Amino acid sequence: MFDAFVDWLKLTASPTRYTYSRGMWIDSLALADTWIAVVLATGGPGPDVDDRRQRFRVLLLGPRNGRQYADDIQVDMESLAAAALGDSAPCAAASVRAIGEPSGPGYTTENRAWVSLDFEVLF
């Protein structure tokens, strides 16, 4: 399900802008200009009858020393949240929904602006 969710993100977000990381990324000078999308599987509640609900935390980050990109990242995350209200879903999933509203912006030690949001995939 993890790979299917990442594929959904790539089709829904700004796929050419973000480099996707499975779990936390390791920052380096080679990534200084890179926009990063971090995807973390966070488990989910126990199955309810036959329904399983996997949860994912998504962090979108701008380039290093890019505090000025906080608004752009917020807009990208809000577009993901809006897409989760629609009919598109990863392969084998019934639906994707945002849990709550985007959190942030925050800033890393390298001054990368970030915004996070949790999603739930029902399958």
Side-chain angles (χ1 to χ4, degrees):
M1 179 47 59
F2 188 95
D3 292 333
F5 179 71
V6 171
D7 289 343
W8 177 82
L9 284 173
K10 288 179 179 178
L11 292 172
T12 307
S14 301
T16 57
R17 181 182 293 193
Y18 293 96
T19 297
Y20 290 81
S21 174
R22 185 178 187 137
M24 296 311 267
W25 79 105
I26 297 174
D27 215 334
S28 69
L29 290 177
L31 295 175
D33 296 329
T34 304
W35 295 65
I36 301 171
V38 176
V39 183
L40 304 161
T42 62
D48 182 16
V49 186
D50 290 333
D51 293 337
R52 292 175 33 221
R53 297 180 305 256
Q54 175 71 48
R55 291 189 180 150
F56 297 96
R57 174 162 294 146
V58 177
L59 284 87
L60 299 181
L61 299 102
R64 275 187 177 200
N65 298 315
R67 288 166 100 53
Q68 69 272 24
Y69 297 114
D71 289 341
D72 295 336
I73 297 165
Q74 184 78 31
V75 168
D76 289 345
M77 188 60 85
E78 288 173 1
S79 70
L80 283 175
L85 296 173
D87 294 333
S88 68
C91 180
S95 68
V96 175
R97 68 178 175 177
I99 302 174
E101 295 294 325
S103 297
Y107 303 96
T108 68
T109 303
E110 298 81 15
N111 275 323
R112 288 182 184 270
W114 62 265
V115 175
S116 72
L117 181 59
D118 291 351
F119 292 88
E120 185 173 75
V121 181
L122 176 66
F123 59 102

